[in-house]
PDB file of all heavy atoms in Angstrom:
ATOM      1  N   ASP A1668      39.295  40.761 132.589  1.00 97.00           N
ATOM      2  CA  ASP A1668      38.940  41.007 133.985  1.00 97.00           C
ATOM      3  C   ASP A1668      40.132  41.596 134.744  1.00 97.00           C
ATOM      4  O   ASP A1668      39.976  42.498 135.568  1.00 97.00           O
ATOM      5  CB  ASP A1668      38.491  39.693 134.625  1.00 97.00           C
ATOM      6  CG  ASP A1668      38.119  39.838 136.091  1.00 97.00           C
ATOM      7  OD1 ASP A1668      37.380  40.784 136.430  1.00 97.00           O
ATOM      8  OD2 ASP A1668      38.568  39.005 136.897  1.00 97.00           O
ATOM      9  N   ALA A1669      41.322  41.101 134.443  1.00 97.00           N
ATOM     10  CA  ALA A1669      42.516  41.521 135.184  1.00 97.00           C
ATOM     11  C   ALA A1669      42.752  43.020 135.100  1.00 97.00           C
ATOM     12  O   ALA A1669      43.106  43.663 136.096  1.00 97.00           O
ATOM     13  CB  ALA A1669      43.739  40.766 134.668  1.00 97.00           C
ATOM     14  N   VAL A1670      42.568  43.607 133.919  1.00 96.00           N
ATOM     15  CA  VAL A1670      42.864  45.029 133.762  1.00 96.00           C
ATOM     16  C   VAL A1670      41.694  45.925 134.139  1.00 96.00           C
ATOM     17  O   VAL A1670      41.884  47.119 134.393  1.00 96.00           O
ATOM     18  CB  VAL A1670      43.317  45.359 132.316  1.00 96.00           C
ATOM     19  CG1 VAL A1670      44.584  44.589 131.974  1.00 96.00           C
ATOM     20  CG2 VAL A1670      42.217  45.073 131.291  1.00 96.00           C
ATOM     21  N   SER A1671      40.488  45.376 134.185  1.00 96.00           N
ATOM     22  CA  SER A1671      39.317  46.233 134.378  1.00 96.00           C
ATOM     23  C   SER A1671      38.630  46.059 135.726  1.00 96.00           C
ATOM     24  O   SER A1671      37.757  46.847 136.079  1.00 96.00           O
ATOM     25  CB  SER A1671      38.288  45.982 133.269  1.00 96.00           C
ATOM     26  OG  SER A1671      37.780  44.661 133.347  1.00 96.00           O
ATOM     27  N   ALA A1672      39.002  45.044 136.498  1.00 96.00           N
ATOM     28  CA  ALA A1672      38.338  44.819 137.790  1.00 96.00           C
ATOM     29  C   ALA A1672      38.801  45.839 138.816  1.00 96.00           C
ATOM     30  O   ALA A1672      40.003  46.083 138.956  1.00 96.00           O
ATOM     31  CB  ALA A1672      38.632  43.408 138.283  1.00 96.00           C
ATOM     32  N   ARG A1673      37.856  46.412 139.508  1.00 96.00           N
ATOM     33  CA  ARG A1673      38.162  47.267 140.655  1.00 96.00           C
ATOM     34  C   ARG A1673      37.311  46.856 141.856  1.00 96.00           C
ATOM     35  O   ARG A1673      37.199  47.605 142.832  1.00 96.00           O
ATOM     36  CB  ARG A1673      37.926  48.743 140.326  1.00 96.00           C
ATOM     37  CG  ARG A1673      38.881  49.321 139.296  1.00 96.00           C
ATOM     38  CD  ARG A1673      40.328  49.303 139.735  1.00 96.00           C
ATOM     39  NE  ARG A1673      41.232  49.921 138.765  1.00 96.00           N
ATOM     40  CZ  ARG A1673      41.820  49.263 137.766  1.00 96.00           C
ATOM     41  NH1 ARG A1673      41.606  47.952 137.605  1.00 96.00           N
ATOM     42  NH2 ARG A1673      42.625  49.898 136.922  1.00 96.00           N
ATOM     43  N   ASP A1674      36.737  45.658 141.801  1.00 96.00           N
ATOM     44  CA  ASP A1674      35.935  45.221 142.937  1.00 96.00           C
ATOM     45  C   ASP A1674      36.784  45.017 144.183  1.00 96.00           C
ATOM     46  O   ASP A1674      36.294  45.141 145.307  1.00 96.00           O
ATOM     47  CB  ASP A1674      35.131  43.960 142.613  1.00 96.00           C
ATOM     48  CG  ASP A1674      35.979  42.820 142.054  1.00 96.00           C
ATOM     49  OD1 ASP A1674      37.145  43.035 141.704  1.00 96.00           O
ATOM     50  OD2 ASP A1674      35.434  41.697 141.962  1.00 96.00           O
ATOM     51  N   PHE A1675      38.087  44.743 143.993  1.00 97.00           N
ATOM     52  CA  PHE A1675      38.961  44.631 145.168  1.00 97.00           C
ATOM     53  C   PHE A1675      39.018  45.955 145.921  1.00 97.00           C
ATOM     54  O   PHE A1675      39.041  45.981 147.160  1.00 97.00           O
ATOM     55  CB  PHE A1675      40.366  44.180 144.756  1.00 97.00           C
ATOM     56  CG  PHE A1675      41.158  45.198 143.975  1.00 97.00           C
ATOM     57  CD1 PHE A1675      41.992  46.098 144.615  1.00 97.00           C
ATOM     58  CD2 PHE A1675      41.054  45.273 142.595  1.00 97.00           C
ATOM     59  CE1 PHE A1675      42.718  47.040 143.894  1.00 97.00           C
ATOM     60  CE2 PHE A1675      41.777  46.209 141.863  1.00 97.00           C
ATOM     61  CZ  PHE A1675      42.604  47.103 142.520  1.00 97.00           C
ATOM     62  N   ALA A1676      39.047  47.071 145.190  1.00 97.00           N
ATOM     63  CA  ALA A1676      39.056  48.385 145.828  1.00 97.00           C
ATOM     64  C   ALA A1676      37.698  48.689 146.459  1.00 97.00           C
ATOM     65  O   ALA A1676      37.616  49.250 147.556  1.00 97.00           O
ATOM     66  CB  ALA A1676      39.425  49.470 144.819  1.00 97.00           C
ATOM     67  N   LEU A1677      36.632  48.293 145.776  1.00 97.00           N
ATOM     68  CA  LEU A1677      35.294  48.492 146.322  1.00 97.00           C
ATOM     69  C   LEU A1677      35.083  47.661 147.582  1.00 97.00           C
ATOM     70  O   LEU A1677      34.457  48.114 148.544  1.00 97.00           O
ATOM     71  CB  LEU A1677      34.240  48.120 145.269  1.00 97.00           C
ATOM     72  CG  LEU A1677      34.105  49.103 144.104  1.00 97.00           C
ATOM     73  CD1 LEU A1677      33.297  48.484 142.971  1.00 97.00           C
ATOM     74  CD2 LEU A1677      33.458  50.398 144.577  1.00 97.00           C
ATOM     75  N   GLU A1678      35.614  46.446 147.576  1.00 98.00           N
ATOM     76  CA  GLU A1678      35.472  45.610 148.763  1.00 98.00           C
ATOM     77  C   GLU A1678      36.272  46.190 149.923  1.00 98.00           C
ATOM     78  O   GLU A1678      35.818  46.181 151.071  1.00 98.00           O
ATOM     79  CB  GLU A1678      35.917  44.178 148.453  1.00 98.00           C
ATOM     80  CG  GLU A1678      35.558  43.200 149.554  1.00 98.00           C
ATOM     81  CD  GLU A1678      35.716  41.746 149.142  1.00 98.00           C
ATOM     82  OE1 GLU A1678      36.210  41.472 148.037  1.00 98.00           O
ATOM     83  OE2 GLU A1678      35.344  40.878 149.962  1.00 98.00           O
ATOM     84  N   PHE A1679      37.454  46.695 149.625  1.00 98.00           N
ATOM     85  CA  PHE A1679      38.244  47.365 150.662  1.00 98.00           C
ATOM     86  C   PHE A1679      37.488  48.561 151.218  1.00 98.00           C
ATOM     87  O   PHE A1679      37.407  48.752 152.443  1.00 98.00           O
ATOM     88  CB  PHE A1679      39.590  47.804 150.085  1.00 98.00           C
ATOM     89  CG  PHE A1679      40.366  48.720 150.991  1.00 98.00           C
ATOM     90  CD1 PHE A1679      40.921  48.252 152.165  1.00 98.00           C
ATOM     91  CD2 PHE A1679      40.535  50.065 150.673  1.00 98.00           C
ATOM     92  CE1 PHE A1679      41.645  49.099 153.012  1.00 98.00           C
ATOM     93  CE2 PHE A1679      41.250  50.914 151.500  1.00 98.00           C
ATOM     94  CZ  PHE A1679      41.806  50.424 152.675  1.00 98.00           C
ATOM     95  N   LEU A1680      36.930  49.385 150.341  1.00 98.00           N
ATOM     96  CA  LEU A1680      36.172  50.549 150.798  1.00 98.00           C
ATOM     97  C   LEU A1680      34.949  50.134 151.600  1.00 98.00           C
ATOM     98  O   LEU A1680      34.614  50.765 152.615  1.00 98.00           O
ATOM     99  CB  LEU A1680      35.741  51.399 149.599  1.00 98.00           C
ATOM    100  CG  LEU A1680      36.828  52.215 148.904  1.00 98.00           C
ATOM    101  CD1 LEU A1680      36.267  52.886 147.659  1.00 98.00           C
ATOM    102  CD2 LEU A1680      37.430  53.255 149.841  1.00 98.00           C
ATOM    103  N   SER A1681      34.275  49.086 151.166  1.00 97.00           N
ATOM    104  CA  SER A1681      33.078  48.621 151.887  1.00 97.00           C
ATOM    105  C   SER A1681      33.446  48.146 153.289  1.00 97.00           C
ATOM    106  O   SER A1681      32.777  48.497 154.271  1.00 97.00           O
ATOM    107  CB  SER A1681      32.398  47.498 151.101  1.00 97.00           C
ATOM    108  OG  SER A1681      31.974  47.952 149.829  1.00 97.00           O
ATOM    109  N   ALA A1682      34.505  47.345 153.390  1.00 98.00           N
ATOM    110  CA  ALA A1682      34.953  46.878 154.707  1.00 98.00           C
ATOM    111  C   ALA A1682      35.381  48.057 155.573  1.00 98.00           C
ATOM    112  O   ALA A1682      35.109  48.091 156.779  1.00 98.00           O
ATOM    113  CB  ALA A1682      36.099  45.882 154.543  1.00 98.00           C
ATOM    114  N   THR A1683      36.036  49.036 154.949  1.00 98.00           N
ATOM    115  CA  THR A1683      36.472  50.221 155.680  1.00 98.00           C
ATOM    116  C   THR A1683      35.282  51.027 156.172  1.00 98.00           C
ATOM    117  O   THR A1683      35.260  51.499 157.313  1.00 98.00           O
ATOM    118  CB  THR A1683      37.370  51.088 154.776  1.00 98.00           C
ATOM    119  OG1 THR A1683      38.500  50.322 154.360  1.00 98.00           O
ATOM    120  CG2 THR A1683      37.865  52.316 155.501  1.00 98.00           C
ATOM    121  N   ALA A1684      34.272  51.177 155.324  1.00 97.00           N
ATOM    122  CA  ALA A1684      33.087  51.942 155.715  1.00 97.00           C
ATOM    123  C   ALA A1684      32.347  51.275 156.871  1.00 97.00           C
ATOM    124  O   ALA A1684      31.897  51.949 157.805  1.00 97.00           O
ATOM    125  CB  ALA A1684      32.160  52.113 154.516  1.00 97.00           C
ATOM    126  N   ILE A1685      32.222  49.949 156.829  1.00 98.00           N
ATOM    127  CA  ILE A1685      31.548  49.241 157.925  1.00 98.00           C
ATOM    128  C   ILE A1685      32.325  49.427 159.225  1.00 98.00           C
ATOM    129  O   ILE A1685      31.753  49.720 160.281  1.00 98.00           O
ATOM    130  CB  ILE A1685      31.387  47.747 157.585  1.00 98.00           C
ATOM    131  CG1 ILE A1685      30.399  47.565 156.430  1.00 98.00           C
ATOM    132  CG2 ILE A1685      30.908  46.964 158.811  1.00 98.00           C
ATOM    133  CD1 ILE A1685      30.349  46.147 155.873  1.00 98.00           C
ATOM    134  N   SER A1686      33.644  49.266 159.155  1.00 98.00           N
ATOM    135  CA  SER A1686      34.453  49.416 160.358  1.00 98.00           C
ATOM    136  C   SER A1686      34.435  50.858 160.867  1.00 98.00           C
ATOM    137  O   SER A1686      34.388  51.093 162.083  1.00 98.00           O
ATOM    138  CB  SER A1686      35.890  48.978 160.071  1.00 98.00           C
ATOM    139  OG  SER A1686      36.643  48.938 161.258  1.00 98.00           O
ATOM    140  N   ALA A1687      34.457  51.826 159.949  1.00 97.00           N
ATOM    141  CA  ALA A1687      34.377  53.233 160.360  1.00 97.00           C
ATOM    142  C   ALA A1687      33.044  53.529 161.029  1.00 97.00           C
ATOM    143  O   ALA A1687      32.968  54.345 161.959  1.00 97.00           O
ATOM    144  CB  ALA A1687      34.579  54.142 159.154  1.00 97.00           C
ATOM    145  N   MET A1688      31.983  52.869 160.569  1.00 97.00           N
ATOM    146  CA  MET A1688      30.686  53.017 161.222  1.00 97.00           C
ATOM    147  C   MET A1688      30.747  52.496 162.653  1.00 97.00           C
ATOM    148  O   MET A1688      30.200  53.110 163.589  1.00 97.00           O
ATOM    149  CB  MET A1688      29.616  52.283 160.414  1.00 97.00           C
ATOM    150  CG  MET A1688      28.226  52.264 161.016  1.00 97.00           C
ATOM    151  SD  MET A1688      27.964  50.822 162.088  1.00 97.00           S
ATOM    152  CE  MET A1688      28.039  49.488 160.892  1.00 97.00           C
ATOM    153  N   HIS A1689      31.429  51.371 162.865  1.00 97.00           N
ATOM    154  CA  HIS A1689      31.589  50.851 164.223  1.00 97.00           C
ATOM    155  C   HIS A1689      32.407  51.816 165.082  1.00 97.00           C
ATOM    156  O   HIS A1689      32.086  52.040 166.255  1.00 97.00           O
ATOM    157  CB  HIS A1689      32.273  49.479 164.181  1.00 97.00           C
ATOM    158  CG  HIS A1689      31.388  48.386 163.664  1.00 97.00           C
ATOM    159  ND1 HIS A1689      31.879  47.263 163.039  1.00 97.00           N
ATOM    160  CD2 HIS A1689      30.035  48.249 163.668  1.00 97.00           C
ATOM    161  CE1 HIS A1689      30.874  46.474 162.692  1.00 97.00           C
ATOM    162  NE2 HIS A1689      29.750  47.057 163.059  1.00 97.00           N
ATOM    163  N   LEU A1690      33.462  52.371 164.506  1.00 97.00           N
ATOM    164  CA  LEU A1690      34.245  53.367 165.231  1.00 97.00           C
ATOM    165  C   LEU A1690      33.378  54.567 165.612  1.00 97.00           C
ATOM    166  O   LEU A1690      33.488  55.110 166.717  1.00 97.00           O
ATOM    167  CB  LEU A1690      35.427  53.837 164.381  1.00 97.00           C
ATOM    168  CG  LEU A1690      36.557  52.843 164.140  1.00 97.00           C
ATOM    169  CD1 LEU A1690      37.539  53.399 163.104  1.00 97.00           C
ATOM    170  CD2 LEU A1690      37.286  52.516 165.436  1.00 97.00           C
ATOM    171  N   SER A1691      32.504  54.965 164.691  1.00 97.00           N
ATOM    172  CA  SER A1691      31.641  56.113 164.940  1.00 97.00           C
ATOM    173  C   SER A1691      30.652  55.834 166.070  1.00 97.00           C
ATOM    174  O   SER A1691      30.357  56.712 166.887  1.00 97.00           O
ATOM    175  CB  SER A1691      30.892  56.480 163.652  1.00 97.00           C
ATOM    176  OG  SER A1691      30.080  57.611 163.858  1.00 97.00           O
ATOM    177  N   ARG A1692      30.144  54.610 166.127  1.00 96.00           N
ATOM    178  CA  ARG A1692      29.212  54.261 167.211  1.00 96.00           C
ATOM    179  C   ARG A1692      29.912  54.334 168.564  1.00 96.00           C
ATOM    180  O   ARG A1692      29.357  54.868 169.538  1.00 96.00           O
ATOM    181  CB  ARG A1692      28.649  52.852 166.988  1.00 96.00           C
ATOM    182  CG  ARG A1692      27.748  52.731 165.779  1.00 96.00           C
ATOM    183  CD  ARG A1692      27.134  51.337 165.687  1.00 96.00           C
ATOM    184  NE  ARG A1692      26.119  51.137 166.721  1.00 96.00           N
ATOM    185  CZ  ARG A1692      25.436  49.998 166.890  1.00 96.00           C
ATOM    186  NH1 ARG A1692      25.688  48.954 166.103  1.00 96.00           N
ATOM    187  NH2 ARG A1692      24.529  49.893 167.834  1.00 96.00           N
ATOM    188  N   LEU A1693      31.122  53.797 168.630  1.00 97.00           N
ATOM    189  CA  LEU A1693      31.870  53.868 169.883  1.00 97.00           C
ATOM    190  C   LEU A1693      32.226  55.317 170.216  1.00 97.00           C
ATOM    191  O   LEU A1693      32.137  55.737 171.380  1.00 97.00           O
ATOM    192  CB  LEU A1693      33.128  53.006 169.783  1.00 97.00           C
ATOM    193  CG  LEU A1693      34.053  52.979 171.004  1.00 97.00           C
ATOM    194  CD1 LEU A1693      33.297  52.665 172.290  1.00 97.00           C
ATOM    195  CD2 LEU A1693      35.180  51.975 170.786  1.00 97.00           C
TER     196      LEU A1693
END
Side-chain angles (χ1 to χ4, degrees):
D1668 179 47
V1670 299
S1671 65
R1673 293 298 183 271
D1674 53 348
F1675 69 91
L1677 288 166
E1678 191 168 6
F1679 169 70
L1680 287 174
S1681 299
T1683 301
I1685 292 170
S1686 188
M1688 176 270 294
H1689 288 153
L1690 290 171
S1691 182
R1692 293 185 72 181
L1693 179 51

